[in-house]
Amino acid sequence: MTLSVLDVKARLGSREVLHGINFNVQPGEILGLVGPNGSGKTTALRCCYRALTPTAGTVFVDGSDAHSIARSELARTVGVGTQEPEASVGLTVRESVALGRVPHRGWFSSGSATDDDLVTDALNRVDLTDLADRDVGSLSGGERQRVSIARALAQQPRILLLDEPTNHLDLRHQLVVMNAVRDLAADGLAIIVTVHDLRLAVEYCTSLAVLDAGRVVASGETTRILTDRLLADVFGIRASVRSHPRPVIDIHGLA
Ligand SMILES: Nc1ncnc2c1ncn2[C@@H]1O[C@H](COP(=O)(O)OP(=O)(O)OP(=O)(O)O)[C@@H](O)[C@H]1O
C-alpha cells in the first residue's frame, strides 16, 4: 500500500504550520521526514494518521482519501508509534502490546493463538521479551517507547508511521529498532519515520522529505538529497555524505 500527501496545509492554533506539502511512500520504502526543530515533521505525520485534519490538500491511502476511510479500516492498515505518553499504565508490557491486535480481533474477543504469536514476535523484534510481564508504569522512557513501537508492529499494518522512534533509546536499541524497521520494509511495508539523527537517516532511510518552516524543500533518494549545501542551508551544519561502501555522514561542525 502507498501513502501520498498532496498539497497538505495544516494549522495549529492560529498559525498555519504546513504550507502545502507533498511526499509519498511506497511498499518496501523507508521515507525519513527530517528537518530542524519546529519544521513540521510531527504535524505532517499527525495528518497522515488522522490525528489532525488538514485545512487543505489530501492524504491518500492506496488512492483513497484517508479522511473518508472508516476508522476501523484505517486502524487495520496504518500502524502508528508516537511520542505521546504511554497510556497503558496498569497493563503488563505483553497486554499493552496485545492492544495492537484489537483492530483485527475487536475489543470483546480474547486473542487467538495467532494473535499471541504476533505479540510475541513484536516483543522480540524490539528486545522486550524479558520485560513482557512488567507493569508498563514501571518502565523507563526508552522501554516505554519500545512498547509503543511493538504495539504498532503487532498490529501488522501495511503502512507504519513512527514519530522519533529512537529519541529515548540507547545506541544499541536505536539499532535494534531501526533494524526491525528495515526488516519490515523488506517484508513490503511502506514506512514513514520522523528522525533527528541524520546518521540514522542516512543509514536506514531509502528516501527523505526535508522539511523547513512547514515546506518540503527537498525530497528523493537519501544520498542524492543530502548535499553539503542543503545540510548547511537547512540544518546549519558543515557535513558531507559518503555513499561508499555504505552511506555515512561526516559532521564537521556548525556552518
Ligand atoms: N498548539 C500550537 N499552536 C501553535 N503552534 C504550534 C502548536 N503546537 C506546535 N506548534 C508549532 O508548529 C510548528 C511545527 O511543530 P512540529 O511539532 O510539527 O515540528 P517538528 O518538526 O516535529 O519539531 P521537533 O523537531 O522539535 O519535534 C512549530 O513551529 C511549533 O512551534
Side-chain angles (χ1 to χ4, degrees), residues 37-247:
N37 285 140
S39 54
K41 302 178 294 293
T42 295
T43 307
L45 206 68
R46 292 182 71 219
C47 290
C48 294
Y49 60 89
R50 262 176 55 171
L52 186 66
T53 304
T55 51
T58 313
V59 175
F60 291 100
V61 173
D62 241 16
S64 302
D65 183 341
H67 281 78
S68 66
I69 299 174
R71 279 207 179 270
S72 53
E73 190 186 333
L74 203 65
R76 283 191 289 272
T77 310
V78 180
V80 183
T82 68
Q83 299 193 70
E84 273 137 44
E86 186 50 57
S88 54
V89 171
L91 301 181
T92 67
V93 168
R94 173 172 271 280
E95 288 166 342
S96 176
V97 172
L99 292 176
R101 298 304 303 153
V102 168
H104 299 278
R105 66 168 164 81
W107 278 106
F108 301 110
S109 67
S110 55
S112 65
T114 308
D115 290 321
D116 287 345
D117 288 348
L118 290 168
V119 170
T120 300
D121 179 58
L123 290 167
N124 201 19
R125 281 183 190 253
V126 296
D127 204 17
L128 280 175
T129 307
D130 290 347
L131 301 180
D133 297 323
R134 284 266 297 276
D135 186 316
V136 171
S138 73
L139 301 182
S140 74
E143 290 162 347
R144 287 186 199 203
Q145 188 165 24
R146 283 185 281 135
V147 171
S148 162
I149 296 165
R151 192 182 313 115
L153 303 190
Q155 195 180 331
Q156 282 212 304
R158 302 313 304 152
I159 296 169
L160 180 63
L161 309 176
L162 297 173
D163 193 10
E164 282 290 334
T166 55
N167 67 341
H168 290 299
L169 303 186
D170 61 55
L171 271 177
R172 178 171 175 277
H173 284 109
Q174 291 183 19
L175 300 186
V176 166
V177 164
M178 291 310 293
N179 286 344
V181 167
R182 184 184 272 160
D183 289 347
L184 292 165
D187 287 346
L189 267 72
I191 298 173
I192 304 179
V193 52
T194 71
V195 55
H196 271 297
D197 189 333
L198 292 175
R199 287 165 296 201
L200 289 178
V202 164
E203 175 135 16
Y204 287 95
C205 296
T206 50
S207 59
L208 296 181
V210 183
L211 280 154
D212 192 16
R215 291 192 163 80
V216 175
V217 294
S219 63
E221 191 190 327
T222 300
T223 46
R224 195 173 56 78
I225 289 305
L226 286 186
T227 60
D228 301 8
R229 176 77 183 270
L230 179 125
L231 290 162
D233 289 350
V234 176
F235 295 92
I237 56 171
R238 273 188 304 114
S240 49
V241 176
R242 285 181 283 134
S243 315
H244 299 290
R246 62 190 180 92

